[in-house]
Amino acid sequence: KAGVTQTPRYLIKTRGQQVTLSCSPISGHRSVSWYQQTPGQGLQFLFEYFSETQRNKGNFPGRFSGRQFSNSRSEMNVSTLELGDSALYLCASSIASGSYEQYFGPGTRLTVT
Amino acid sequence: AQSVTQLGSHVSVSEGALVLLRCNYSSSVPPYLFWYVQYPNQGLQLLLKYTSAATLVKGINGFEAEFKKSETSFHLTKPSAHMSDAAEYFCAVYDANAGKSTFGDGTTLTVKP
């Protein structure tokens, strides 16, 4: 079974721009969670989607948003990029919301200049 | 709210020596606990998990962890370190209600030849 895939793997953007990251979960998994990893803040939960609905949200500004499609693929969007948004963004998939077994993708490394 | 504390941001051992990475958790309910490993520029790989079955959990690559409720600990051990074990290790607790994992700050393991 293929693992979690994230695209692109690396991205460089300029302050003020917006960016969209994509995550394809493991086949059969319907829940997708997003995490931000930075040296200063560590791993922080962004949000979780299940059956195309946002189920849970972390403590991030409204510039961070996401969505999930009917095939369970998910995208997250960051608008008006700031330097502090530079991070590794990790996606995790699980069978259902509340399922503790999460499988992580390789991440997207976003650099904001 | 659930939380995780990893004692020691850096641990250095000699090849063949015992590895001990410490993790303490705080949870008002029986926890789901995990150890993940992260190699440079990669995502998180699950090493092992505790889900209220056996208190001694065996994982991949020779790692194991013991859940001690009285000490609220879930320390990770490996009897004999290998050079390939050098990586960053994260302890995490999963909150099923919030649908998210809360991670410790991570411990970087260095293995000296």
Side-chain angles (χ1 to χ4, degrees):
Chain A
K1 207 181 250 190
V4 179
T5 58
Q6 292 187 244
T7 57
R9 291 293 313 278
Y10 301 92
L11 205 49
I12 299 175
K13 290 287 188 178
T14 304
R15 271 180 303 175
Q17 288 185 315
Q18 75 166 15
V19 67
T20 299
L21 312 181
S22 180
C23 171
S24 292
I26 292 170
S27 177
H29 285 195
R30 296 172 60 198
S31 173
V32 173
S33 298
W34 289 88
Y35 293 83
Q36 180 197 64
Q37 185 179 21
T38 61
Q41 299 298 316
L43 281 149
Q44 302 275 316
F45 172 74
L46 280 155
F47 28 64
E48 180 206 13
Y49 285 87
F50 176 71
S51 292
E52 303 178 64
T53 301
Q54 187 180 89
R55 297 294 299 268
N56 294 286
K57 189 176 190 306
N59 189 25
F60 278 81
R63 299 185 298 107
F64 292 81
S65 62
R67 59 177 175 169
Q68 187 180 35
F69 302 94
S70 58
N71 62 358
S72 296
R73 189 177 71 85
S74 177
E75 290 181 346
M76 68 163 280
N77 183 278
V78 188
S79 62
T80 319
L81 284 166
E82 300 176 0
L83 294 178
D85 298 332
S86 294
L88 181 67
Y89 290 88
L90 293 166
C91 162
S93 84
S94 55
I95 286 178
S97 181
S99 171
Y100 56 78
E101 197 124 359
Q102 294 185 307
Y103 297 85
F104 284 82
T108 294
R109 171 75 63 186
L110 171 65
T111 302
V112 182
T113 62
Chain B
Q2 298 178 322
S3 65
V4 171
T5 302
Q6 290 183 241
L7 301 174
S9 57
H10 291 85
V11 170
S12 181
V13 300
S14 297
E15 191 173 20
L18 171 71
V19 175
L20 171 60
L21 305 182
R22 300 177 188 273
C23 172
N24 288 88
Y25 70 91
S26 172
S27 176
S28 58
V29 297
Y32 296 120
L33 293 165
F34 303 83
W35 275 99
Y36 293 91
V37 61
Q38 186 177 38
Y39 297 97
N41 296 315
Q42 293 189 26
L44 300 176
Q45 181 183 7
L46 179 66
L47 278 177
L48 48 80
K49 62 181 183 287
Y50 168 77
T51 58
S52 77
T55 56
L56 182 62
V57 181
K58 294 188 184 299
I60 62 172
N61 300 338
F63 285 95
E64 62 181 37
E66 186 173 8
F67 173 72
K68 291 187 177 180
K69 184 178 179 180
S70 60
E71 298 177 9
T72 60
S73 69
F74 190 55
H75 302 331
L76 181 71
T77 60
K78 182 174 180 177
S80 177
H82 192 272
M83 297 297 289
S84 62
D85 294 328
E88 190 161 20
Y89 292 79
F90 292 92
C91 181
V93 59
Y94 182 77
D95 184 335
N97 290 330
K100 69 171 186 177
S101 292
T102 299
F103 292 86
D105 290 336
T107 297
T108 300
L109 176 65
T110 301
V111 182
K112 299 175 291 185

